[in-house]
Amino acid sequence: MNSAECLWVYEVEEFGPLTVTIDSHGGNLTAESIKNIEANKQKILQEL
Amino acid sequence: MMDIAQVVEDTAAKLLEISATKLPSKVKEALIQDEKDTEGSLGKSQLKAINENVNLAETFTKPMCQDTGLVSFFVKVGDKFPIKSEVKTALIKATEKATEKVPLRPNAVDMFEGNTKNNVGLRGYVPWFYFDLVEGDKCEIIAMPKGGGSSNVGKMKMVPPGKGIKGVKEFVVEAVAAAGPLACPPYTVGVGVGGGEDMCMNLAKKALLRPLYQYHEDENIASIEKELKDILNKLEIGAMGLGEGTSVFDVHMEFAARHPASLPVGVVISCWALRHAGATIDREGNVEFHLH
Ligand code: SF4
C-alpha cells in the first residue's frame, strides 16, 4: 500500500509507557468519562 | 509578466503544507501551557505526547496528524486582482500538488467511485470554497483542512426562537457534551447563530479562524463567548477526553440576522489540531504569508 490511508505493521522497541483506556477486565476510561460529562451537563443545564 | 495563476497555486500549496505541519502559534502556546497546568498524570501524558508530536511535525515538515482533513479555502478576491475564476482552478491544482508533496492523506471519497486519491472531489465542491469579493487589488487565501473526527461531532439545530440566547447556550452545551471524548480534545468551539440552516454552520466554521483568546468586537457577544468557555470547561472532558486538563480552549461566535420565525444555531468543533494558514497576494504577484 502506498497511501497514508491504510494500516501499518510496525516493529517497535521501547514502546510506551501507554495509557490503556479499555482493558480486558471490563475497565473503560472513555465510558467513565462519558458518564461524568453527562452528569456535569445535567448540572450545567439546570444552572444556566 | 508574472504568471499570477501560478503564484496562487504555489502559495495555496504552501499554505496547505504549513497548515498540516505547523500549528498557529496561539494554539501551540495553549497546548504547552495546558501541559504545564494539568496536574493529573493521565491528562498530562496526553498533552506531552501531543506537544512532542507537534514539535516533530514542525521539525520534519510532516503532518501533525494522520488525518490531514478535508480541504477548504476562505478566499477574498479584490476587484482589481488580475484573475478571478482562475483562482479556483489554481486552488484545485494546489490541492492535488500538496497531496503529493506534503503528503496529505487522500480524503476525498466519492460515494460511488471511491477515493479520488488527490483530495479533489469528482463532482466539484471539494475542495470547498468560501469566496468573498472585496475592494482593492489583492487576494487573500486561507487554507483550512479539517479532520473528519472532529467534523463528525458538528451539530446544527433550529432552536425555537422563543428560547432566545438561553436556547443558544443550552444547545452549545449539549453539542460539546455529546462530542465528549470523541473528537480529540482540548477543543476550540465555533458557534454560528442566525442566517439560515446552512449559513449558521458556515459562520461557525469561519469563527474557528479567529485567533485564540481574541473575542468578538461586540462586548455583549464577547462576554457570552467567555461565559460559554467557562461553562464548557465544567463538563470536565479533559485532554483526549480523559477528564484531566482543559476541555475547551476557546469559544468563538458569529451572529447573522435571522428570520423572525427561526433561530438557527451551528456548532463546529475543532480538535486540538486547529489548523489553518493564510497569505495575501498582490496584483504583481508578491506574496505575504500571514503571521502564524
Ligand atoms: S480529530 Fe483532529 S487530532 Fe483527532 S484524528 Fe481527527 S484530525 Fe487528528
Side-chain angles (χ1 to χ4, degrees), chain B residues 65-67 147 149-150 183-184 271-272 275:
Chain B
C65 179
Q66 37 73 39
D67 184 355
S150 70
C184 302
C271 54
W272 62 263
R275 292 162 286 186

Side-chain angles (χ1 to χ4, degrees), chain B residues 151-171:
Chain B
S151 282
N152 286 350
V153 295
K155 274 196 172 18
M156 194 282 279
K157 186 177 181 180
M158 303 304 281
V159 172
K163 287 200 162 183
I165 195 69
K166 186 163 179 248
V168 173
K169 291 179 192 169
E170 278 172 4
F171 180 57

Side-chain angles (χ1 to χ4, degrees), chain A residues 19-41, chain B residues 42 177 180-182 234-244:
Chain A
T19 304
V20 178
T21 52
I22 300 176
D23 67 24
S24 52
H25 305 283
N28 186 331
L29 291 180
T30 308
E32 277 174 35
S33 176
I34 290 175
K35 234 195 237 163
N36 184 43
I37 292 164
E38 208 36 50
N40 289 335
K41 179 185 92 176
Chain B
L42 205 50
L182 300 178
K234 291 189 189 149
L235 286 169
E236 295 175 344
I237 297 170
M240 294 311 279
L242 294 169
E244 294 172 351

Side-chain angles (χ1 to χ4, degrees), chain B residues 56-78:
Chain B
L56 286 170
E58 194 171 329
T59 308
F60 295 108
T61 324
K62 288 291 168 224
M64 66 188 81
C65 179
Q66 37 73 39
D67 184 355
T68 51
L70 194 73
V71 177
S72 60
F73 290 103
F74 292 76
V75 189
K76 286 181 188 162
V77 189

Side-chain angles (χ1 to χ4, degrees), chain B:
Chain B
M1 240 297 270
M2 177 83 80
D3 181 351
I4 292 281
Q6 190 63 48
V7 175
V8 172
E9 181 185 324
D10 295 345
T11 307
K14 185 74 192 166
L15 291 174
L16 286 171
E17 178 192 292
I18 297 171
S19 54
T21 59
K22 195 167 174 256
L23 276 181
S25 55
K26 283 267 164 20
V27 181
K28 209 159 73 177
E29 283 161 27
L31 285 162
I32 292 169
Q33 191 59 43
D34 203 23
E35 182 188 334
K36 280 188 197 143
D37 295 345
T38 301
E39 275 165 18
S41 60
L42 205 50
K44 208 181 188 70
S45 66
Q46 303 303 313
L47 289 156
K48 184 163 177 265
I50 289 173
N51 286 324
E52 271 176 24
N53 169 59
V54 168
N55 279 336
L56 286 170
E58 194 171 329
T59 308
F60 295 108
T61 324
K62 288 291 168 224
M64 66 188 81
C65 179
Q66 37 73 39
D67 184 355
T68 51
L70 194 73
V71 177
S72 60
F73 290 103
F74 292 76
V75 189
K76 286 181 188 162
V77 189
D79 293 329
K80 307 227 162 57
F81 191 67
I83 58 168
K84 306 272 182 343
S85 68
E86 283 169 79
V87 172
K88 278 193 199 171
T89 324
L91 294 178
I92 290 170
K93 281 196 198 155
T95 305
E96 289 174 3
K97 194 194 233 171
T99 302
E100 281 262 316
K101 189 177 161 268
V102 180
L104 305 177
R105 191 174 80 177
N107 273 344
V109 177
D110 188 79
M111 189 76 227
F112 307 101
E113 308 292 332
N115 198 319
T116 65
K117 305 229 164 76
N118 61 4
N119 275 310
V120 177
L122 289 181
R123 300 161 210 271
Y125 307 121
V126 172
W128 184 263
F129 304 118
Y130 297 81
F131 267 101
D132 201 359
L133 299 172
V134 296
E135 287 179 6
D137 59 2
K138 298 193 169 111
C139 175
E140 181 196 275
I141 302 169
I142 297 173
M144 187 189 203
K146 193 164 183 304
S150 70
S151 282
N152 286 350
V153 295
K155 274 196 172 18
M156 194 282 279
K157 186 177 181 180
M158 303 304 281
V159 172
K163 287 200 162 183
I165 195 69
K166 186 163 179 248
V168 173
K169 291 179 192 169
E170 278 172 4
F171 180 57
V172 175
V173 171
E174 270 158 23
V176 178
L182 300 178
C184 302
Y187 298 135
T188 300
V189 181
V191 181
V193 183
E197 58 277 55
D198 51 347
M199 295 169 232
C200 67
M201 289 306 275
N202 277 354
L203 286 175
K205 197 160 201 185
K206 207 170 165 186
L208 288 176
L209 294 176
R210 204 191 312 151
L212 281 189
Y213 313 121
Q214 184 180 311
Y215 295 96
H216 201 284
E217 55 192 14
D218 181 322
E219 274 179 35
N220 281 331
I221 298 174
S223 76
I224 298 171
E225 291 174 332
K226 289 177 199 163
E227 181 195 347
L228 275 173
K229 177 171 79 171
D230 291 345
I231 290 175
L232 292 174
N233 275 301
K234 291 189 189 149
L235 286 169
E236 295 175 344
I237 297 170
M240 294 311 279
L242 294 169
E244 294 172 351
T246 304
S247 305
V248 170
F249 281 143
D250 218 349
V251 178
H252 293 163
M253 306 180 87
E254 291 297 332
F255 283 71
R258 60 181 179 82
H259 184 280
S262 51
L263 176 49
V265 183
V267 179
V268 175
I269 297 175
S270 173
C271 54
W272 62 263
L274 173 50
R275 292 162 286 186
H276 51 81
T280 302
I281 305 168
D282 71 15
R283 59 176 306 144
E284 266 90 46
N286 300 306
V287 184
E288 196 189 318
F289 286 90
H290 299 171
L291 266 183
H292 189 69

